[in-house]
Amino acid sequence: SARLVVTGRDERKGCETVEIIHETLIRSWRELRLWMQQNRDFRSWQERLRMAMVQWEKSSNDKEALLRGFLLTEAEDWLQQQVKLSRYEQSFIQLSLEQRDREQQEKEQQRQATIVALTGGLLLALSLAGIANWQWQRAELQKQLIEISAINAFSENLLLSGKEFDSLLESLKATKLLQKFNSNQDTRIQVATTLAEALY
């Protein structure tokens, strides 16, 4: 009757409301001031939450307009404190949390797929490097065998032309090269035979 408060009804939420309209009541009622101080942070946050909900509704409930980052962390904290939130506000926060969890799961799956792809690429690269190294070693061995055979043939020609000492030097050179490489038996026999003939 003193018109300090006005009662009403919020049709959207379906609840009774009381609005303080007289400044004297706010200044003089100590308990009310204490409640207001305690609830100021919550009410400030709740107002930001409601603005975010309005933006979400305007965007036709686009998942990109849900709470993210710090706003979502803050909302999760308030939700865990079991403050008075409407079902609609709780639902909005829950949808935001579910979207965050989905996005984190997708990121984790992408991260794992990237790791698998990189691991596969690394294994392929290592396999190709191993094959290239093996082929290079075979080519080097083949090159050395050709060089040993050529020296051995030169040593045989020197022997046939009566230059035994020069033939012996070339055979020793072929034998020394042969010791460095794991060559086939035929090449070893040829070099050993030429060396024996030169010594003889």
Side-chain angles (χ1 to χ4, degrees), residues 89-128:
E89 290 168 337
Q90 290 176 12
S91 174
F92 179 68
I93 294 170
Q94 204 58 46
L95 283 171
S96 298
L97 291 169
E98 288 168 7
Q99 179 63 27
R100 179 196 64 190
D101 293 345
R102 270 193 302 275
E103 288 173 358
Q104 286 176 344
Q105 189 176 17
E106 287 171 8
K107 282 181 184 176
E108 181 61 25
Q109 288 171 347
Q110 287 175 349
R111 189 181 70 80
Q112 288 177 355
T114 302
I115 288 171
V116 168
L118 289 174
T119 303
L122 181 61
L123 289 175
L124 179 63
L126 289 173
S127 299
L128 292 174

Side-chain angles (χ1 to χ4, degrees), residues 158-186:
L158 288 170
L159 190 61
L160 290 173
S161 61
K163 297 180 181 176
E164 291 84 6
F165 185 73
D166 291 337
S167 175
L168 178 62
L169 289 177
E170 291 300 316
S171 284
L172 288 172
K173 190 190 293 183
T175 304
K176 189 173 181 182
L177 276 174
L178 194 59
Q179 289 174 351
K180 292 182 183 178
F181 296 96
N182 187 15
S183 63
N184 60 27
Q185 194 66 24
D186 291 342

